[in-house]
Amino acid sequence: MVRGLYTSGWSMLALNKKMDVLANNLANVSTTGYKKDTVVLEGFPKLLAERLHDNTGGTARGVPVGELSFSNDVGEVYTYFTQGTLLKTDNSLDMSIKDEGRAFFTVLVPGRGQFYTRDGSFKLNADGQLVTGQGYYVLGENGIIQLNGSDFTVTEDGTIIQNGAVVDRLLITQFQNPDSLRKNGENLFTASDNSVVENFTGTVMQNYLEQSNAEAIREMVDMIALLRSYEANQRVINVIDGTLDKAVNEVGRV
Amino acid sequence: MIRALYTASSGMKAMQFNVDTISNNLANVNTYAYKKERAEFEDLLYVTMERAYILENQGRPVNLQVGHGTVIRSVARDFTAGSLIQTENNLDFAIIGDGFFSVLHPSQNIYYTRDGSFKLSVTDEGTMLTTARGYPVLDEIGEPIYFDYPIDQIIINERGEISYKDEDGLIVPTGQRIGIFKFNNPQGLEAVGGNLYAENTASGFAVPDDEMGEPSTIRQGYLEASNVQVVEEMVNLITAQRAYELNSKAITTADEMMSIANNLKR
């Protein structure tokens, strides 16, 4: 009976974590190139339940008790890399990638290495180099991209043409498994050991920005469902507490 | 859950800032050569939540992490051209291209503007070309521009070269040229109000117009309107308000969850 208390209690803790992730999605509905996170709740491993029951008097007896899972926890925070809506801005420095969400602009952060981003709201710095909003270098195939003013065109494969001459081609990194990327804040992602790079198959769109792919309606619905399931867990705890109350104060009365 | 409260409040703060930016754009719908601004956001730090029973060979992706909300990153100024308004006033100029006029501020700083609604100011040295506020407009070598001929005879061609029509109807060049400058990073320019911008290390130094990119051209008798699109701003305003509401709902929800947790113990 007391186990039920912990089951529901733990479930409430997991829902707390889920709420944190939902709130982050909602806070970033206007962040360019943001990719929403979703929480996968997993049951506790059934292994744990079996071990508790298999032992009697210190000897493993292997009596099958049946499968049982106590509560759940956040198993994975999964990032949806689906394409966000493209917004036309008429600014030649705004770029976005149109694909299934696997390709990224490559960004060089001095002293910290290479990062990847879907946020193509680029700028020119005082030296005329193409940089991100934070001032990090946007990489081309030949390194940092040096431009002469903001009057240039970017073709669909990322080639930058200024005054009729090819300046460079944007270094776009496409991953076979974008779910191996980690978020870093500042709209940047880092690759992990599992990341596999493949050839770029999408298109680059100049004068467009990719909006956040967090959808307000979906997040609101998730939030309502979460609140209600949080409430239900509380009810269960209260009921168990009530039963305990009866057992302790009424059954035990002499 | 406490984190959710702060995360959502970061979203509300960002949206407030967004509304500030949008309302400034709307307030300047009729300001000559005003360039609209757009607030840009980025996501905040992420923390990785560890899992005790994670297995080494399971190949689970490492992205068990939760973010801390959003923050304003920059306000990007959109320097796309506004539409041209024909004024038939000889002292109104519009720049087609990326250039800026240079102006001498009373603080002795040189500021830059695209607002070409110039006026004349009578000084001891002669009649001087100034901005509407009376600041001298400079030529390409940084000198004020004086006119000693009737205003309606002044002709400024596409390249900015000043000439005038004499009594016989002949065009006489004065050899002076209105200064037009460009910047590597115009978005880095610091807006100082009064339609003026100041150069700084972020924008790079002013470069004579014809040394960088396509040369700008000047149109006499025209003014550049603000590039604010009211419809676009209204749509942004609606989006910002809804995003603000969304985040406030997230705060209410987190609060309600805390209240539920508090009511666990009767």
Side-chain angles (χ1 to χ4, degrees), chain B residues 171-184:
Chain B
I171 294 169
V172 186
T174 64
Q176 233 181 350
R177 202 175 148 194
I178 285 193
I180 307 283
F181 298 91
K182 268 186 196 154
F183 298 89
N184 259 327

Side-chain angles (χ1 to χ4, degrees), chain B:
Chain B
M1 191 160 51
I2 303 285
R3 186 189 289 142
L5 273 178
Y6 289 115
T7 304
S9 75
S10 81
M12 287 182 81
K13 244 186 263 168
M15 283 311 133
Q16 253 175 32
F17 189 85
N18 200 2
V19 171
D20 290 349
T21 313
I22 295 166
S23 53
N24 188 44
N25 284 344
L26 286 172
N28 283 296
V29 168
N30 289 321
T31 307
Y32 291 129
Y34 175 80
K35 299 296 171 193
K36 65 185 174 192
E37 295 175 316
R38 192 185 64 226
E40 291 181 342
F41 309 97
E42 65 184 22
D43 49 0
L44 270 171
L45 282 178
Y46 283 77
V47 282
T48 305
M49 296 185 285
E50 299 273 340
R51 279 253 287 189
Y53 66 88
I54 210 159
L55 299 174
E56 262 185 32
N57 300 323
Q58 209 175 327
R60 182 189 292 282
V62 285
N63 52 4
L64 186 67
Q65 47 182 9
V66 58
H68 280 82
T70 181
V71 69
I72 309 127
R73 179 183 65 201
S74 52
V75 178
R77 201 174 273 279
D78 184 350
F79 277 96
T80 49
S83 47
L84 296 187
I85 307 166
Q86 190 171 10
T87 63
E88 285 172 12
N89 177 347
N90 244 7
L91 291 176
D92 284 340
F93 304 101
I95 300 178
I96 301 170
D98 303 328
F100 292 82
F101 296 112
S102 61
V103 166
L104 182 67
H105 193 255
S107 66
Q108 295 308 312
N109 288 321
I110 293 177
Y111 288 150
Y112 299 88
T113 184
R114 280 181 66 94
D115 172 12
S117 59
F118 296 147
K119 308 282 179 285
L120 289 178
S121 166
V122 183
T123 65
D124 295 342
E125 286 100 67
T127 314
M128 187 170 61
L129 187 67
T130 65
T131 67
R133 284 225 174 179
Y135 307 152
V137 177
L138 303 177
D139 69 0
E140 55 183 338
I141 51 167
E143 297 291 329
I145 298 163
Y146 295 102
F147 295 131
D148 48 5
Y149 24 84
I151 308 157
D152 53 355
Q153 301 305 322
I154 297 167
I155 299 166
I156 291 177
N157 71 7
E158 287 198 339
R159 313 275 306 122
E161 286 152 357
I162 306 165
S163 49
Y164 63 96
K165 221 184 261 176
D166 69 6
E167 286 147 8
D168 305 328
L170 293 171
I171 294 169
V172 186
T174 64
Q176 233 181 350
R177 202 175 148 194
I178 285 193
I180 307 283
F181 298 91
K182 268 186 196 154
F183 298 89
N184 259 327
N185 177 22
Q187 297 196 346
L189 287 170
E190 187 187 335
V192 291
N195 287 355
L196 300 174
Y197 300 97
E199 68 176 6
N200 56 30
T201 45
S203 63
F205 293 110
V207 182
D209 173 69
D210 35 18
E211 285 179 20
M212 192 171 85
E214 219 167 274
S216 310
T217 53
I218 294 183
R219 280 286 179 85
Q220 191 175 17
Y222 286 86
L223 280 177
E224 183 181 354
S226 157
N227 68 351
V228 175
Q229 303 287 336
V230 177
V231 179
E232 189 188 326
E233 297 302 325
M234 289 312 288
V235 170
N236 287 344
L237 194 64
I238 293 171
T239 321
Q241 191 201 348
R242 290 304 173 198
Y244 190 76
E245 269 181 289
L246 272 179
N247 282 291
S248 93
K249 283 279 188 302
I251 291 183
T252 322
T253 308
D255 178 47
E256 209 165 315
M257 283 170 76
M258 286 214 285
S259 142
I260 290 170
N262 283 338
N263 286 322
L264 271 179
K265 178 82 180 76
R266 288 174 298 180

